[in-house]
Amino acid sequence: MTERLAPTPSQTVGPFYGYALPFPDGGEIAPAGHPDTITLHGRVYDGEGRPVPDALVELWQPDPDGSLAGAAGSMRRDAVNGGFLGRNGVDFTGFGRIATDADGHWAARTLPPGGPAAPYISVCVHARGLLHHLFTRVYFPEHTEANAADPLLASLDPARRETLVATAGSRPGTYRFDIRLQGEGETVFLEFR
């Protein structure tokens, strides 16, 4: 008689994204010297409240006029080896990719997102222990009326809604947005089908 063994549970591999996906100045989304630049920063925390030192945070956003087009050619690549040469420093890309540091901290310099509804920045988080990356959003506290009318924010109870709204810093144009992967104060994550 042959005994049946249970299948081996799935496991994460990597984190390989730490080697292949980050690029220099990944958080420098706004053109250099632009007068309307804002800083968005925070930390990624695990379920026990510890900083995640090897997470990767991607940001996708419209420009201040609400356009999602981005600028063609604003992310320059080496034609020979495909390597990243850098942003051109003039055009707004609407995209950033930031690796967290040893304290789980990340920061991006960008422009305020625009649009007809509540302005937000889309966020994608890659981290160890995740089988799939996570999606969330960053809304801004000064857009009280637009935020109240946003269908996603309106569908959440106040404590959960709070996890999607950045906190204004002491300096104008500075916002903090912490991402909690699990546990108390867990960030609201979105599921796309």
Side-chain angles (χ1 to χ4, degrees), residues 7-188:
T8 302
S10 64
Q11 296 181 9
T12 59
V13 294
F16 300 125
Y17 54 81
Y19 302 105
L21 296 180
F23 54 87
D25 299 324
E28 299 297 317
I29 303 168
H34 195 288
D36 298 326
T37 297
I38 63 171
T39 299
L40 180 63
H41 71 100
R43 284 195 162 76
V44 177
Y45 293 102
D46 68 14
E48 294 181 6
R50 292 182 305 230
V52 179
D54 54 0
L56 190 69
V57 177
E58 283 186 0
L59 304 177
W60 299 84
Q61 71 170 93
D63 68 18
D65 295 328
S67 171
L68 291 169
S74 61
M75 302 278 289
R76 297 179 303 144
R77 297 237 174 241
D78 185 315
V80 176
N81 65 17
F84 181 74
L85 289 175
R87 297 180 193 265
N88 66 13
V90 177
D91 296 313
F92 179 73
T93 64
F95 172 74
R97 187 180 287 149
I98 309 108
T100 57
D101 66 15
D103 295 320
H105 187 260
W106 62 274
R109 190 177 54 79
T110 188
L111 297 177
Y120 65 85
I121 296 176
S122 296
V123 179
C124 179
V125 181
H126 303 262
R128 60 185 145 103
L130 297 178
L131 293 176
H132 301 284
H133 44 277
L134 301 172
F135 297 97
T136 190
R137 292 180 177 175
V138 180
Y139 290 87
F140 294 87
E142 63 270 19
H143 300 288
T144 310
E145 288 183 30
N147 288 350
D150 183 81
L152 173 61
L153 291 177
S155 73
L156 301 170
D157 67 68
R160 301 291 290 144
R161 187 179 313 129
E162 219 173 79
T163 70
L164 297 180
V165 180
T167 304
S170 56
R171 291 182 300 159
T174 303
Y175 300 89
R176 182 172 183 132
F177 185 74
D178 290 332
I179 300 166
R180 297 183 187 282
L181 300 177
Q182 289 181 319
E184 188 175 336
E186 177 183 331
T187 301
V188 170

